[in-house]
Amino acid sequence: MAQTISLILLLSLLALTLVQAEHPVVVQRRSRSRARAFIEFQCQTTLYPKLCVSCLSPYVSNFTKTLSHRQLAQTALRVTLVKAQSTRAYISGVAQKLNRTKGPEARAVMECLDQINDGVDQLTNCIKEAQHIKEDGGSSDFTWHASNVQTWMSTALTDASMCIDGFSGRAIGGRTKAMIKAKVLNLQQVTSIALALFNRFAARFRASHAIKP
């Protein structure tokens, strides 16, 4: 009898251990699923929903505890800055190769590089400024910080657009021109996504804090 009771207790403890070991995994999977759905839903508010999801889904683990519009906007800003930095690195490499020629190709690429450099600066400022905004914070300085972020993001968009426009009519090799334009266009789209997500967060914040635009 005692052996039977001991065996039952042992099996019960084993079953409880297995449930406890499995439970965090189940919770994590559900959290990731909710976070993925949150990202996909928010991305529908942008001009490029598929690109938005592909850019932000690698960071789904950041949203397993809270589904924050502020956090999503800040993640999009960081993704955009990384994209801008990689685009700048590519164009800088092209510029170095063409700089020896001193021809129209070199000038066009350098002008584009100047625009992307300015865009990187604007995005860096955006990230620093956005860090002053708290999801549950007060509204006293929100308008100031949000306006700065939106202005600098819009400037970064203009920088990318001016870079692309600068290649119109230029006698630049097809492959080089196509690669630069493709990378800058992608940067422009990612920047647009980040701005759209930040605008959505800002609108929700204003509504919840009764802030007039």
Side-chain angles (χ1 to χ4, degrees), residues 113-124:
L113 182 59
D114 288 341
Q115 297 294 339
I116 300 304
N117 272 329
D118 184 69
V120 169
D121 291 340
Q122 301 294 339
L123 292 168
T124 301

Side-chain angles (χ1 to χ4, degrees), residues 149-170:
V149 172
Q150 290 165 329
T151 298
W152 293 331
M153 286 285 287
S154 297
T155 302
L157 266 176
T158 301
D159 287 329
S161 179
M162 290 179 66
C163 169
I164 294 174
D165 292 342
F167 284 104
S168 300
R170 299 293 185 102

Side-chain angles (χ1 to χ4, degrees), residues 19-198:
V19 169
Q20 290 177 337
E22 184 182 23
H23 185 258
V25 175
V26 173
V27 171
Q28 187 179 42
R29 287 177 179 173
R30 288 177 180 173
S31 297
R32 285 178 179 270
S33 178
R34 288 180 61 227
R36 172 82 183 194
F38 174 72
I39 290 173
E40 290 177 350
F41 181 77
Q42 297 305 319
C43 282
Q44 295 304 311
T45 65
T46 71
L47 292 175
Y48 313 101
K50 290 183 179 180
L51 177 61
C52 177
V53 172
S54 67
C55 287
L56 295 175
S57 58
Y59 304 92
V60 68
S61 60
N62 294 348
F63 303 91
T64 54
K65 293 183 179 179
T66 58
L67 303 179
S68 164
H69 289 269
R70 168 181 168 271
Q71 194 176 19
L72 183 62
Q74 289 186 329
T75 300
L77 282 172
R78 288 192 293 270
V79 168
T80 305
L81 178 59
V82 171
K83 178 69 67 174
Q85 290 170 333
S86 65
T87 302
R88 178 177 63 178
Y90 175 80
I91 298 174
S92 179
V94 174
Q96 289 177 5
K97 293 178 181 178
L98 294 176
N99 194 41
R100 304 166 190 167
T101 65
K102 303 295 182 181
E105 288 187 349
R107 288 195 298 271
V109 173
M110 284 304 301
E111 289 172 5
C112 176
L113 182 59
D114 288 341
Q115 297 294 339
I116 300 304
N117 272 329
D118 184 69
V120 169
D121 291 340
Q122 301 294 339
L123 292 168
T124 301
N125 290 335
C126 286
I127 291 175
K128 292 178 180 179
E129 194 77 4
Q131 289 174 349
H132 294 294
I133 301 174
K134 306 301 180 184
E135 186 86 49
D136 56 351
S139 61
S140 58
D141 297 326
F142 175 82
T143 300
W144 169 258
H145 294 309
S147 178
N148 286 338
V149 172
Q150 290 165 329
T151 298
W152 293 331
M153 286 285 287
S154 297
T155 302
L157 266 176
T158 301
D159 287 329
S161 179
M162 290 179 66
C163 169
I164 294 174
D165 292 342
F167 284 104
S168 300
R170 299 293 185 102
I172 299 177
R175 179 177 175 80
T176 300
K177 182 177 180 178
M179 284 296 294
I180 292 177
K181 289 185 70 173
K183 288 182 176 295
V184 177
L185 179 60
N186 183 250
L187 170 60
Q188 188 178 36
Q189 292 172 344
V190 173
T191 305
S192 170
I193 289 168
L195 179 57
L197 292 176
F198 183 85

